[in-house]
Amino acid sequence: MGRKRQPPTVEASHKSRHGHTDALGVRSGDRIYLDAEDEVIHRAWMPQTQTSRNILYGAMRRALPASCVHAGERLVSFKQSGERVTVLFASGRMERGDLLICADGAGSTVRSQLLPGTSPAYAGSVA
């Protein structure tokens, strides 16, 4: 069996100008499911690459012109009009572009605007 990875992450990397490298994360083979007492209840061979927000964010930031990245700004709202999107930041600044990529965390403004009344439900933490 060949090496399998996280298909959406790898596909996005391949479509970028910078392509995919093995620096995308750490390879693992097994997926292990534990019960509440930390006993293994299921183990499956499922090779993939474990990655992190930091690795993905760094790769995307290096691939984009500095003028496209608005780190430190808080997104207040966005509107799409045809093929363009306009964003409003808490500072009062507005930007327009062809694509909006947000990394605004668990309290995502984008999620609340696209899916009003929903919020993420976490069952706990995993590593």
Side-chain angles (χ1 to χ4, degrees):
M1 179 189 296
R3 294 184 336 185
K4 291 185 180 177
R5 302 192 179 215
Q6 303 292 69
T9 303
V10 174
E11 181 181 347
S13 180
H14 280 299
K15 287 181 178 179
S16 78
R17 300 189 294 251
H18 298 275
H20 171 67
T21 69
D22 282 333
L24 210 55
V26 178
R27 283 181 275 190
S28 66
D30 289 333
R31 177 151 311 172
I32 301 169
Y33 298 85
L34 307 174
D35 64 15
E37 287 76 41
D38 287 338
E39 298 295 323
V40 175
I41 58 173
H42 184 74
R43 176 181 231 131
W45 176 247
M46 196 174 297
Q48 61 187 28
T49 298
Q50 307 295 321
T51 193
S52 70
R53 177 198 178 278
N54 191 47
I55 290 172
L56 292 174
Y57 178 80
M60 281 188 3
R61 188 159 185 163
R62 286 186 301 276
L64 295 170
S67 63
C68 292
V69 179
H70 305 287
E73 288 277 12
R74 187 174 67 80
L75 181 82
V76 173
S77 65
F78 70 95
K79 292 181 183 174
Q80 185 171 345
S81 177
E83 300 282 320
R84 303 284 288 170
V85 63
T86 302
V87 298
L88 173 64
F89 295 108
S91 66
R93 192 163 62 86
M94 295 180 79
E95 293 285 340
R96 293 192 71 210
D98 298 325
L99 176 67
L100 174 62
I101 301 172
C102 294
D104 57 344
S108 172
T109 299
V110 173
R111 183 187 312 105
S112 66
Q113 190 171 327
L114 291 174
L115 304 168
T118 64
S119 61
Y122 298 106
S125 62
V126 294

